[in-house]
Amino acid sequence: MNKNTIMFIAASAIVILLWNFVLSPQPIQQAKPPAQETQPSAVAQTQSQSQSQTQSAPVLPASPVKNAATNNIKQETIEISADKYKVYLTNSGAAVSKWLIKENDGQWIDLILPNNPPVLANFPNINYKIVSNNNEKVVFEYVSPEGWKITKTYSFAKDSYMHNIAVKLEKLNQSAVLPRIDFVWGPGLSTDDENMKENLTLTRVGGHPAQKPFKYKIIKNESEPASDFKWVAIDNRYFLVAFIPTNISDFANIKSFREDKKHYYSLILEGSPSYANANSAEISAYMYVGPKGYTYLQTYNPQFNLNLEKSVDFGFFGFLGRGAFQILNFFHNTTNNYGWAIIILTICIQLVILPLTLKSYRSMAAMKRIQPMIKSIQERYKGDKQRLNVEMMNIYKTQKVNPMGGCLPMLCQLPIFWAFFTMLRNAYELRGAHWILWVNDLSIADTFLVINGFTIHLLPLIMGAGMFLQQKLTGASADPMQKKMMYILPIVFTFMFWGFPAGLVLYWLTNSVVSMIEQYIVMRRDTIKIKRA
């Protein structure tokens, strides 16, 4: 669970408990195992290691290649360009040095972290011969002194993020032993500058199980049999790199590796040793490298039946988040604007939970109505706490008021709030989504004005003002502590939501406005009833 999620949960709890405390008078109080080390095999490949503090490559066993660095082939870089992506390949290890994704706003995001070694390298200390090179297929080849040949092919789809990587091994003499081939991506998966601060905690390795339950499984510093998975991936909040083996028996294990919590995970598809004595072997996998948009990932299901969208994290209450996302997309298709879609969906959620909300506000109004009686009893029995509590309970009973009635219905709404928060926080579809005026991207904090390097976010200020207006409409409390909280809470929440994405703040702002209207109607009706009585 990342920092912003924890902050939101804390915010929700404070809103429900403390805000309830402010708006209604309060009754008198009554008395892990260590990680396993990866064992090297006799025949395997090397992955270069980064010395950066924030990146660390997995420690893989040494290559069997002898004098490979002196094969007299120059190092070269190949650029593959398409509308959606750019890939830079190097013949050193037949690897990928950069993989850039173009977003809707025209921004290019390199999914390989800065200062990292190239990914998908096989024997990175050798320079392969480039056999063929065009914008759809690149073929590398190397002939080993030990008597075997490796041919590595990258195949790129022009209008898709789904590509293919294939390795063919051949014996050139009978005494040769074919090397093990691993596919390694990492360490880490990069993102844009705005999300880089949280990227270390959000980057993870996981996969889609081959058997039920078909729930995305996170793999942490451990090894799992490759046969247990349909596909495996490394991802972060907004991007996904998934490997779908053509033949799962080509791989023995799926490994997730990192040195410690200060380093990124690497995804390792460990090759099977079964073909070591074979005359030839072919290892291949489809490879999705692109955005983690829930709706877009579903478009691959008819052809591949992969369910890549299961990698999108909807949080603990995922079934609620997925349902809310489907409805959000429906409203977006109607309005062609995710901002208005968030507002409409928030109002719909408020209508669904309206019975609980009204029950809560009626309880608050009832508590306010009996305040004069409570104050009178407090003055009369201030020296006798036991008698005071008895009289308080009598008032609650005769007036049919539940002192917890304002809090419990609100607590029941927390799963909905948390699910909606996680959905908005992780929805790739909101990246670059414009709402109105200055709100140009709902996935980041709104920028209204910049003064001497300090950014003014207007939506949190409006939200704080709305919260302040809500408590003013309720009326001042006789309790000095409540009076202080009425002024402090709007400031606290403005500060907590200051750097949150505009889509989240818009949701909370809309939720507060609708709640304020509902509360005003309930309080007004209660006041009219008191006057008529």
Side-chain angles (χ1 to χ4, degrees):
M1 186 177 294
N2 62 70
K3 180 181 67 176
N4 281 331
T5 302
I6 295 172
M7 287 179 65
F8 178 80
I9 293 173
S12 302
I14 295 173
V15 164
I16 290 172
L17 298 176
L18 293 185
W19 197 250
N20 181 67
F21 170 78
V22 170
L23 298 180
S24 64
Q26 300 298 306
I28 297 294
Q29 296 294 323
Q30 302 182 31
K32 128 177 190 262
Q36 296 180 353
E37 295 183 359
T38 302
Q39 297 296 325
S41 65
V43 181
Q45 63 189 22
T46 300
Q47 178 72 16
S48 298
Q49 300 182 47
S50 168
Q51 301 302 320
S52 168
Q53 185 176 11
T54 57
Q55 292 101 245
S56 176
V59 179
L60 294 178
S63 163
V65 180
K66 299 178 182 177
N67 302 320
T70 60
N71 59 348
N72 298 322
I73 298 177
K74 291 192 309 180
Q75 182 176 346
E76 295 184 54
T77 299
I78 301 170
E79 178 182 346
I80 304 297
S81 295
D83 292 339
K84 294 182 176 183
Y85 61 86
K86 288 182 182 178
V87 181
Y88 293 85
L89 301 168
T90 173
N91 66 327
S92 294
V96 179
S97 57
K98 291 185 179 181
W99 200 306
L100 293 90
I101 300 298
K102 187 177 182 180
E103 300 204 83
N104 294 331
D105 60 358
Q107 179 183 195
W108 288 92
I109 306 295
D110 186 1
L111 298 185
I112 299 176
L113 286 163
N115 303 318
N116 259 19
V119 300
L120 300 175
N122 297 109
F123 313 115
N125 57 330
I126 67 173
N127 292 337
Y128 285 64
K129 175 184 176 183
I130 301 173
V131 177
S132 65
N133 170 21
N134 58 58
N135 222 37
E136 295 181 358
K137 181 181 288 188
V138 178
V139 180
F140 298 98
E141 183 182 280
Y142 172 72
V143 177
S144 165
E146 286 78 11
W148 51 263
K149 181 174 76 171
I150 178 173
T151 304
K152 188 171 183 179
T153 303
Y154 290 91
S155 300
F156 299 95
K158 182 179 180 181
D159 299 317
S160 171
Y161 296 109
M162 187 70 75
H163 313 288
N164 187 270
I165 178 173
V167 175
K168 183 178 181 180
L169 296 169
E170 298 175 82
K171 278 187 180 181
L172 301 182
N173 63 60
Q174 291 302 312
S175 62
V177 177
L178 297 182
R180 193 188 81 196
I181 297 297
D182 297 349
F183 290 165
V184 181
W185 185 291
L189 182 67
S190 192
T191 185
D192 63 320
D193 294 339
E194 188 73 26
N195 287 277
M196 189 59 75
K197 186 177 180 180
E198 291 184 284
N199 193 46
L200 179 61
T201 59
L202 293 173
T203 301
R204 58 188 188 164
V205 170
H208 186 283
Q211 304 294 332
K212 293 182 178 181
F214 298 122
K215 183 179 180 181
Y216 191 72
K217 181 179 180 180
I218 306 301
I219 307 172
K220 293 184 178 181
N221 263 21
E222 57 191 50
S223 176
E224 301 271 358
S227 58
D228 288 353
F229 296 93
K230 189 174 184 178
W231 52 265
V232 293
I234 183 169
D235 68 349
N236 52 28
R237 172 171 285 142
Y238 291 129
F239 299 100
L240 172 73
V241 174
F243 293 87
I244 307 99
T246 305
N247 186 350
I248 198 63
S249 62
D250 290 342
F251 301 95
N253 298 295
I254 305 300
K255 293 186 176 181
S256 172
F257 172 86
R258 69 173 177 178
E259 287 189 0
D260 52 47
K261 292 183 179 180
K262 294 182 179 180
H263 294 80
Y264 282 92
Y265 281 106
S266 290
L267 167 62
I268 307 169
L269 286 79
E270 188 179 88
S272 172
S274 61
Y275 52 76
N277 295 317
N279 291 324
S280 65
E282 294 188 23
I283 303 99
S284 66
Y286 284 98
M287 182 171 57
Y288 176 89
V289 184
K292 203 168 71 171
Y294 187 85
T295 304
Y296 179 76
L297 291 174
Q298 286 181 315
T299 63
Y300 288 94
N301 287 340
Q303 181 180 358
F304 295 96
N305 190 29
L306 297 174
N307 296 313
L308 291 173
E309 70 277 4
K310 288 186 179 291
S311 63
V312 179
D313 182 15
F314 285 106
F316 185 78
F317 300 102
F319 66 100
L320 292 174
R322 279 186 290 273
F325 182 79
Q326 299 290 351
I327 301 172
L328 181 70
N329 272 332
F330 171 79
F331 289 130
H332 171 258
N333 293 335
T334 304
T335 63
N336 201 31
N337 186 301
Y338 271 110
W340 294 117
I342 290 172
I343 292 173
I344 296 172
L345 178 55
T346 305
I347 294 173
C348 290
I349 291 175
Q350 281 291 332
L351 291 176
V352 171
I353 64 176
L354 184 60
L356 289 174
T357 305
L358 291 179
K359 185 176 181 180
S360 177
Y361 288 147
R362 287 187 186 117
S363 180
M364 292 180 186
M367 287 293 294
K368 186 178 180 181
R369 185 177 67 247
I370 65 173
Q371 268 303 285
M373 303 180 201
I374 293 176
K375 190 173 182 180
S376 175
I377 290 175
Q378 287 173 337
E379 290 293 331
R380 190 182 309 171
Y381 301 107
K382 60 183 178 182
D384 188 348
K385 290 186 177 181
Q386 185 175 359
R387 180 66 184 274
L388 177 59
N389 286 335
V390 171
E391 293 299 327
M392 290 281 289
M393 291 301 105
N394 287 336
I395 289 179
Y396 295 146
K397 185 176 181 180
T398 56
Q399 297 297 318
K400 298 180 179 180
V401 175
N402 181 0
M404 294 298 294
C407 181
L408 292 177
M410 295 295 285
L411 286 174
C412 295
Q413 301 175 32
L414 275 178
I416 297 175
F417 294 153
W418 291 346
F420 202 54
F421 164 83
T422 307
M423 182 270 288
L424 291 177
R425 185 64 171 153
N426 295 329
Y428 179 85
E429 286 76 2
L430 296 185
R431 284 178 66 81
H434 176 79
W435 179 37
I436 58 172
L437 302 175
W438 75 98
V439 185
N440 296 315
D441 189 344
L442 290 168
S443 70
I444 61 175
D446 66 300
T447 300
F448 180 71
L449 197 63
V450 179
I451 303 176
N452 293 329
F454 181 76
T455 304
I456 304 296
H457 305 302
L458 187 56
L459 282 180
L461 293 175
I462 297 174
M463 183 198 73
M467 293 181 71
F468 181 80
L469 179 60
Q470 185 177 2
Q471 55 86 14
K472 292 294 286 185
L473 288 174
T474 305
S477 169
D479 191 329
M481 179 60 71
Q482 289 183 1
K483 284 184 178 180
K484 291 181 181 179
M485 293 299 294
M486 288 165 63
Y487 293 102
I488 292 175
L489 275 179
I491 298 174
V492 171
F493 276 90
T494 300
F495 174 77
M496 291 183 69
F497 279 77
W498 190 253
F500 273 23
L504 288 174
V505 183
L506 180 60
Y507 154 67
W508 197 265
L509 172 61
T510 306
N511 190 73
S512 298
V513 171
V514 175
S515 298
M516 183 170 57
I517 295 172
E518 294 171 344
Q519 183 180 342
Y520 175 77
I521 294 173
V522 171
M523 295 295 184
R524 182 175 174 82
R525 285 181 177 177
D526 189 75
T527 302
I528 293 174
K529 288 180 181 179
I530 293 174
K531 288 181 178 179
R532 287 177 179 176

mmCIF file of all heavy atoms in Angstrom, residues 104-125:
data_model
loop_
_atom_site.group_PDB
_atom_site.id
_atom_site.type_symbol
_atom_site.label_atom_id
_atom_site.label_comp_id
_atom_site.label_asym_id
_atom_site.label_seq_id
_atom_site.Cartn_x
_atom_site.Cartn_y
_atom_site.Cartn_z
ATOM 1 N N ASN A 104 -0.759 10.204 -25.059
ATOM 2 C CA ASN A 104 -1.755 10.981 -25.789
ATOM 3 C C ASN A 104 -1.383 12.454 -25.923
ATOM 4 O O ASN A 104 -1.774 13.115 -26.877
ATOM 5 C CB ASN A 104 -3.119 10.858 -25.109
ATOM 6 C CG ASN A 104 -3.667 9.448 -25.182
ATOM 7 O OD1 ASN A 104 -3.370 8.713 -26.125
ATOM 8 N ND2 ASN A 104 -4.450 9.043 -24.197
ATOM 9 N N ASP A 105 -0.626 12.979 -24.939
ATOM 10 C CA ASP A 105 -0.236 14.388 -24.988
ATOM 11 C C ASP A 105 1.042 14.605 -25.779
ATOM 12 O O ASP A 105 1.581 15.725 -25.811
ATOM 13 C CB ASP A 105 -0.075 14.953 -23.569
ATOM 14 C CG ASP A 105 1.001 14.217 -22.766
ATOM 15 O OD1 ASP A 105 1.598 13.253 -23.292
ATOM 16 O OD2 ASP A 105 1.243 14.610 -21.613
ATOM 17 N N GLY A 106 1.559 13.560 -26.420
ATOM 18 C CA GLY A 106 2.765 13.677 -27.228
ATOM 19 C C GLY A 106 4.047 13.441 -26.470
ATOM 20 O O GLY A 106 5.136 13.417 -27.064
ATOM 21 N N GLN A 107 3.968 13.236 -25.150
ATOM 22 C CA GLN A 107 5.146 13.010 -24.332
ATOM 23 C C GLN A 107 5.686 11.598 -24.561
ATOM 24 O O GLN A 107 4.925 10.634 -24.647
ATOM 25 C CB GLN A 107 4.782 13.209 -22.848
ATOM 26 C CG GLN A 107 5.940 12.966 -21.908
ATOM 27 C CD GLN A 107 5.541 13.093 -20.445
ATOM 28 O OE1 GLN A 107 6.395 13.203 -19.568
ATOM 29 N NE2 GLN A 107 4.244 13.058 -20.160
ATOM 30 N N TRP A 108 7.015 11.472 -24.631
ATOM 31 C CA TRP A 108 7.665 10.179 -24.782
ATOM 32 C C TRP A 108 8.198 9.732 -23.426
ATOM 33 O O TRP A 108 8.897 10.486 -22.747
ATOM 34 C CB TRP A 108 8.806 10.251 -25.784
ATOM 35 C CG TRP A 108 8.351 10.393 -27.202
ATOM 36 C CD1 TRP A 108 8.158 11.546 -27.887
ATOM 37 C CD2 TRP A 108 8.025 9.334 -28.108
ATOM 38 N NE1 TRP A 108 7.721 11.296 -29.168
ATOM 39 C CE2 TRP A 108 7.644 9.928 -29.332
ATOM 40 C CE3 TRP A 108 8.028 7.945 -28.012
ATOM 41 C CZ2 TRP A 108 7.259 9.192 -30.441
ATOM 42 C CZ3 TRP A 108 7.644 7.198 -29.125
ATOM 43 C CH2 TRP A 108 7.266 7.806 -30.316
ATOM 44 N N ILE A 109 7.863 8.511 -23.025
ATOM 45 C CA ILE A 109 8.305 7.949 -21.741
ATOM 46 C C ILE A 109 9.208 6.752 -22.025
ATOM 47 O O ILE A 109 8.791 5.786 -22.675
ATOM 48 C CB ILE A 109 7.112 7.493 -20.875
ATOM 49 C CG1 ILE A 109 6.107 8.634 -20.683
ATOM 50 C CG2 ILE A 109 7.605 6.961 -19.531
ATOM 51 C CD1 ILE A 109 6.640 9.804 -19.898
ATOM 52 N N ASP A 110 10.466 6.821 -21.540
ATOM 53 C CA ASP A 110 11.382 5.689 -21.674
ATOM 54 C C ASP A 110 11.127 4.740 -20.509
ATOM 55 O O ASP A 110 11.272 5.112 -19.345
ATOM 56 C CB ASP A 110 12.827 6.184 -21.646
ATOM 57 C CG ASP A 110 13.828 5.063 -21.936
ATOM 58 O OD1 ASP A 110 13.395 3.918 -22.173
ATOM 59 O OD2 ASP A 110 15.046 5.354 -21.922
ATOM 60 N N LEU A 111 10.745 3.511 -20.806
ATOM 61 C CA LEU A 111 10.408 2.540 -19.770
ATOM 62 C C LEU A 111 11.634 1.873 -19.145
ATOM 63 O O LEU A 111 11.483 1.099 -18.195
ATOM 64 C CB LEU A 111 9.466 1.473 -20.341
ATOM 65 C CG LEU A 111 8.106 1.985 -20.835
ATOM 66 C CD1 LEU A 111 7.230 0.820 -21.263
ATOM 67 C CD2 LEU A 111 7.412 2.827 -19.784
ATOM 68 N N ILE A 112 12.820 2.174 -19.650
ATOM 69 C CA ILE A 112 14.050 1.682 -19.033
ATOM 70 C C ILE A 112 14.616 2.802 -18.172
ATOM 71 O O ILE A 112 14.816 3.924 -18.641
ATOM 72 C CB ILE A 112 15.057 1.231 -20.096
ATOM 73 C CG1 ILE A 112 14.453 0.088 -20.929
ATOM 74 C CG2 ILE A 112 16.371 0.790 -19.452
ATOM 75 C CD1 ILE A 112 15.330 -0.375 -22.070
ATOM 76 N N LEU A 113 14.857 2.504 -16.911
ATOM 77 C CA LEU A 113 15.300 3.529 -15.966
ATOM 78 C C LEU A 113 16.634 4.137 -16.393
ATOM 79 O O LEU A 113 17.483 3.451 -16.979
ATOM 80 C CB LEU A 113 15.446 2.919 -14.568
ATOM 81 C CG LEU A 113 14.138 2.626 -13.831
ATOM 82 C CD1 LEU A 113 14.389 1.671 -12.670
ATOM 83 C CD2 LEU A 113 13.515 3.921 -13.312
ATOM 84 N N PRO A 114 16.833 5.431 -16.104
ATOM 85 C CA PRO A 114 18.105 6.080 -16.439
ATOM 86 C C PRO A 114 19.283 5.364 -15.769
ATOM 87 O O PRO A 114 19.178 4.884 -14.641
ATOM 88 C CB PRO A 114 17.929 7.496 -15.863
ATOM 89 C CG PRO A 114 16.454 7.698 -15.766
ATOM 90 C CD PRO A 114 15.864 6.360 -15.478
ATOM 91 N N ASN A 115 20.383 5.291 -16.477
ATOM 92 C CA ASN A 115 21.630 4.683 -15.990
ATOM 93 C C ASN A 115 21.539 3.167 -15.815
ATOM 94 O O ASN A 115 22.466 2.560 -15.278
ATOM 95 C CB ASN A 115 22.074 5.314 -14.664
ATOM 96 C CG ASN A 115 22.247 6.816 -14.772
ATOM 97 O OD1 ASN A 115 22.784 7.308 -15.763
ATOM 98 N ND2 ASN A 115 21.786 7.552 -13.778
ATOM 99 N N ASN A 116 20.440 2.571 -16.250
ATOM 100 C CA ASN A 116 20.323 1.116 -16.174
ATOM 101 C C ASN A 116 21.066 0.460 -17.340
ATOM 102 O O ASN A 116 21.181 1.045 -18.423
ATOM 103 C CB ASN A 116 18.851 0.694 -16.244
ATOM 104 C CG ASN A 116 18.297 0.355 -14.880
ATOM 105 O OD1 ASN A 116 18.840 0.740 -13.869
ATOM 106 N ND2 ASN A 116 17.201 -0.369 -14.865
ATOM 107 N N PRO A 117 21.531 -0.771 -17.163
ATOM 108 C CA PRO A 117 22.064 -1.520 -18.313
ATOM 109 C C PRO A 117 20.927 -1.894 -19.248
ATOM 110 O O PRO A 117 19.752 -1.869 -18.859
ATOM 111 C CB PRO A 117 22.662 -2.764 -17.646
ATOM 112 C CG PRO A 117 21.871 -2.942 -16.394
ATOM 113 C CD PRO A 117 21.557 -1.553 -15.919
ATOM 114 N N PRO A 118 21.236 -2.217 -20.485
ATOM 115 C CA PRO A 118 20.189 -2.658 -21.414
ATOM 116 C C PRO A 118 19.443 -3.880 -20.878
ATOM 117 O O PRO A 118 20.010 -4.702 -20.148
ATOM 118 C CB PRO A 118 20.961 -2.996 -22.695
ATOM 119 C CG PRO A 118 22.200 -2.183 -22.612
ATOM 120 C CD PRO A 118 22.549 -2.144 -21.152
ATOM 121 N N VAL A 119 18.182 -4.000 -21.239
ATOM 122 C CA VAL A 119 17.368 -5.135 -20.817
ATOM 123 C C VAL A 119 17.341 -6.179 -21.933
ATOM 124 O O VAL A 119 17.699 -5.903 -23.078
ATOM 125 C CB VAL A 119 15.933 -4.694 -20.462
ATOM 126 C CG1 VAL A 119 15.942 -3.687 -19.316
ATOM 127 C CG2 VAL A 119 15.213 -4.094 -21.675
ATOM 128 N N LEU A 120 16.907 -7.391 -21.569
ATOM 129 C CA LEU A 120 16.765 -8.505 -22.508
ATOM 130 C C LEU A 120 18.098 -8.908 -23.157
ATOM 131 O O LEU A 120 18.129 -9.394 -24.290
ATOM 132 C CB LEU A 120 15.733 -8.181 -23.593
ATOM 133 C CG LEU A 120 14.312 -7.886 -23.090
ATOM 134 C CD1 LEU A 120 13.415 -7.452 -24.226
ATOM 135 C CD2 LEU A 120 13.734 -9.100 -22.383
ATOM 136 N N ALA A 121 19.185 -8.676 -22.433
ATOM 137 C CA ALA A 121 20.504 -9.039 -22.964
ATOM 138 C C ALA A 121 20.765 -10.532 -22.785
ATOM 139 O O ALA A 121 20.419 -11.116 -21.763
ATOM 140 C CB ALA A 121 21.586 -8.236 -22.253
ATOM 141 N N ASN A 122 21.374 -11.137 -23.788
ATOM 142 C CA ASN A 122 21.900 -12.500 -23.691
ATOM 143 C C ASN A 122 23.375 -12.450 -24.044
ATOM 144 O O ASN A 122 23.732 -12.124 -25.170
ATOM 145 C CB ASN A 122 21.156 -13.454 -24.628
ATOM 146 C CG ASN A 122 19.687 -13.596 -24.272
ATOM 147 O OD1 ASN A 122 18.817 -13.103 -24.987
ATOM 148 N ND2 ASN A 122 19.408 -14.253 -23.152
ATOM 149 N N PHE A 123 24.230 -12.710 -23.061
ATOM 150 C CA PHE A 123 25.671 -12.588 -23.194
ATOM 151 C C PHE A 123 26.048 -11.145 -23.548
ATOM 152 O O PHE A 123 26.465 -10.845 -24.666
ATOM 153 C CB PHE A 123 26.205 -13.563 -24.241
ATOM 154 C CG PHE A 123 25.666 -14.950 -24.088
ATOM 155 C CD1 PHE A 123 24.860 -15.513 -25.065
ATOM 156 C CD2 PHE A 123 25.948 -15.688 -22.947
ATOM 157 C CE1 PHE A 123 24.356 -16.791 -24.916
ATOM 158 C CE2 PHE A 123 25.455 -16.970 -22.801
ATOM 159 C CZ PHE A 123 24.644 -17.527 -23.780
ATOM 160 N N PRO A 124 25.884 -10.222 -22.607
ATOM 161 C CA PRO A 124 26.089 -8.798 -22.900
ATOM 162 C C PRO A 124 27.533 -8.419 -23.192
ATOM 163 O O PRO A 124 27.788 -7.301 -23.631
ATOM 164 C CB PRO A 124 25.596 -8.117 -21.614
ATOM 165 C CG PRO A 124 25.718 -9.152 -20.553
ATOM 166 C CD PRO A 124 25.436 -10.451 -21.221
ATOM 167 N N ASN A 125 28.484 -9.334 -22.961
ATOM 168 C CA ASN A 125 29.895 -9.024 -23.230
ATOM 169 C C ASN A 125 30.314 -9.362 -24.654
ATOM 170 O O ASN A 125 31.493 -9.303 -24.992
ATOM 171 C CB ASN A 125 30.805 -9.757 -22.236
ATOM 172 C CG ASN A 125 30.601 -11.261 -22.271
ATOM 173 O OD1 ASN A 125 29.502 -11.739 -22.557
ATOM 174 N ND2 ASN A 125 31.661 -12.016 -21.985
#
